[in-house]
Each structure stands twice: as C-alpha cells, then as structure tokens.
Amino acid sequence: MQASDGTDKFAFRSPHGMKAARGSLRKVAGIDVRHLQHFNNPGRAWHDLSGPQDTLTVVLAEIGGRCEARENLRRSVALHQQRPHHISFVPAEMRTWGYAENIESVRELRLSFDSKSLANLLGPDLAPARTQIPDLMFQDKRAVDCARLLAAACDAGEQSPRLYGEGLVLALLSLCFQSPPRKQGSGLSALQLRQVLDFLHQHLDAALSLSELARLVDLSPSQFARQFKAATGVSPHRYQLNTRIGKAQELLLVQGESLSMVAAATGFVDQSHFTRTFKRVTGATPHAWLRDRNS
C-alpha cells in the first residue's frame, strides 16, 4: 500500500484491510514530514507503524470510528487512551500496530527522523529517555495544533517559508521530547541579537534555516528559537516575515518597483505568493495599499 504525492512514494508496512492512501511530503531540517490519509475496507484494518527511522504520528481526523496504536495487535488499549487526536512515538524498527475496526479513513501527520537529527535540533533540551521506548496514544493539544499547521504546510509545498516549517517542526518535537522546562533566560544578548538581525536584514531574499541562524550565536535551534522570541517577542519566522513586508512596502512606495521585482527582492516564491502574503499581513493587496498611501 503506497501513498504518493508525485515526488514521494510512501509504503505502509504490513498493511491489512487498507484500500487506498494519499499523501504529501515536505523535508524539514533533515526530517521527513508527511501528511497522510488512508482509507480502509469494512472490518478490521492494520499496518505496522514502525520504519527504518524513528516515527512520530499525530492523528488529525478519524472518519467513521476510532483508530489505535497497539504494541500487541490482539490487545486493545485502555479506555482512557481511546480519545481523538492522539500522538504516538515509535522507535526505529520496533514493531507497533496502527489498528482500526470499521473505520472509513484516518488522516495523520507522520514525522520520520533519526536520533542525530533530533539531537541537532533540540540540543541540551532533548530528554534522551523519551526516545528509547514507544509512547503510544498520548495527548497534547498544542502539539496537535502544530501538526495541523504542518499538514497545511506540506500541502502548500514550496509556497510555505522555510523558517515557518522549521519553527513548527521544532515546536512539535519540543513538546514531545523536551526535558522538563528549566528557568527561562532573558533571551539573546544585545550583541547576539544585533548579529542575528543584521544577518536577517542582509539576507532578506534568502531561504534561511533555524540551524543557520543558531550557528551565528553558537546555540542549538531549540535554544535559539526560544531565546530569540524572548528577546524580540516574536518567532524568527514572524520577524523575517514582518521585515520582508516592511521592505516590500518601502520598495513599492519609495522606489515604485513592480510587484514581480518586489517579490524577488524580498524572498517570496513569485508575485502571486507575495500578493497573498501581503494581504494576509496588512489586510490589503499591494495595489490597494499603495493606492491608499498615494490618495
């Protein structure tokens, strides 16, 4: 059983009772992020959730019933775990079953990663014990909210900014694998913050990564994202977006550049992507915004 978006063919392991599947893939910071939907025949259906890498699944929707993650295919989980929007972590090659009975379809976000990628992202924030054994059908509303946004980013493909996708992946993994919160620091120092902001402004049209920004101040991406927000009040993605829109307004108002030139100069995929984002941030299209300023 395979789910394909044209560029990626994901194969479900040991499928039974499954009739069709579809999905979309986005690679983020060395992690495969897939938005999957699979459809079942009437009766019992299952597949092996494990893979060659560690797997984190977030169930986003169940149509017609409930699904479960089981270590033993013949043993149902406890009643208190049978709630919607559950999350399961399965270490690499540790057989665990995704099970459903008389359910039409399941939609999920599935992340595949190795221990090195996880350690690189979370750094000292990682709780290694959480990555050693399966953790099935736990609940975390904030993690599910992140997963929903990531699923939309998968479907959007390249239209979704790099820092946005990485920020969501980092937030989701932090919620699932971070050590108990420690005392919050005051954020980046003034020197560190100036170094990062100067770099962001100098590379406004580039697809920067959290790892790239974190290396500037010798932090892990997890530490950097937390300290950047503490210092600025916004995430790195939001700061980059606000800066790009501000630069776009300057180019439109002062220099009279065309929309296509503004889009290229401020790091948007194309004019259409720029126009949609500009309207979402400012509440008006570039043409309407410029007309109001010139009236």
Side-chain angles (χ1 to χ4, degrees):
M1 174 64 62
Q2 288 187 336
S4 175
D5 68 349
T7 58
D8 171 61
K9 294 186 183 298
F10 173 76
F12 289 89
R13 283 185 162 188
S14 305
H16 172 86
M18 301 173 69
K19 64 179 180 181
R22 63 189 180 203
S24 55
L25 166 72
R26 181 165 181 180
K27 291 183 177 289
V28 181
I31 292 174
D32 287 344
V33 183
R34 289 181 172 90
H35 182 201
L36 298 169
Q37 186 169 16
H38 37 102
F39 305 86
N40 299 331
N41 293 310
R44 299 194 304 159
W46 61 78
H47 68 280
D48 183 0
L49 287 173
S50 70
Q53 295 182 302
D54 293 348
T55 300
L56 182 73
T57 67
V58 184
V59 174
L60 301 177
E62 301 159 283
I63 307 301
R66 289 279 182 267
C67 64
E68 300 178 4
R70 297 181 173 184
E71 292 190 71
N72 186 325
L73 186 57
R74 295 179 177 84
R75 186 180 303 155
S76 180
V77 300
L79 285 175
H80 73 271
Q81 292 179 287
Q82 297 178 20
R83 292 182 289 169
H85 312 309
H86 50 80
I87 306 168
S88 295
F89 168 68
V90 182
E93 302 296 357
M94 194 169 293
R95 174 162 283 186
T96 305
W97 299 99
Y99 177 87
E101 195 164 334
N102 294 319
I103 189 171
E104 296 175 26
S105 72
V106 177
R107 187 167 62 85
E108 65 176 84
L109 187 81
R110 188 174 298 203
L111 276 63
S112 303
F113 49 89
D114 56 34
S115 56
K116 182 179 179 181
S117 295
L118 191 61
N120 286 341
L121 280 172
L122 297 185
D125 292 336
L126 175 65
R130 296 190 180 185
T131 67
Q132 305 304 313
I133 59 174
D135 188 3
L136 305 184
M137 297 185 68
F138 63 93
Q139 302 281 323
D140 191 307
K141 183 181 183 303
R142 292 179 299 166
V144 174
D145 290 341
C146 287
R148 292 191 188 283
L149 294 173
L150 267 172
C154 284
D155 294 343
E158 294 303 319
Q159 295 287 315
S160 180
R162 184 175 183 179
L163 277 180
Y164 177 68
E166 289 188 358
L168 288 173
V169 166
L170 185 58
L172 175 56
L173 293 176
S174 294
L175 289 165
C176 296
F177 300 106
Q178 187 170 303
S179 299
R182 294 166 291 181
K183 184 178 180 180
Q184 294 296 320
S186 58
L188 300 174
S189 69
L191 180 61
Q192 288 176 318
L193 183 60
R194 176 47 52 198
Q195 188 176 2
V196 172
L197 296 187
D198 285 347
F199 189 84
L200 279 165
H201 283 266
Q202 291 164 11
H203 299 84
L204 200 60
D205 61 342
L208 301 176
S209 70
L210 278 174
S211 296
E212 191 174 0
L213 295 176
R215 281 195 297 269
L216 293 173
V217 289
D218 197 26
L219 294 171
S220 72
S222 176
Q223 292 172 307
F224 170 74
R226 184 174 62 251
Q227 293 186 30
F228 184 93
K229 187 169 185 179
T232 65
V234 294
S235 68
H237 160 67
R238 189 69 201 190
Y239 185 91
Q240 182 191 56
L241 179 61
N242 291 343
T243 304
R244 283 176 167 175
I245 294 299
K247 181 63 175 180
Q249 291 172 329
E250 177 187 334
L251 293 173
L252 289 169
L253 192 60
V254 179
Q255 301 184 27
E257 296 283 5
S258 67
L259 292 187
S260 59
M261 290 294 292
V262 171
T266 51
F268 292 95
V269 175
D270 52 32
Q271 180 178 326
S272 176
H273 180 216
F274 165 63
T275 298
R276 290 197 306 273
T277 306
F278 190 99
K279 183 176 182 181
R280 176 165 54 83
V281 173
T282 68
T285 66
H287 283 306
W289 181 87
L290 190 58
R291 184 180 63 247
D292 289 344
R293 296 305 179 281
N294 291 331
S295 59

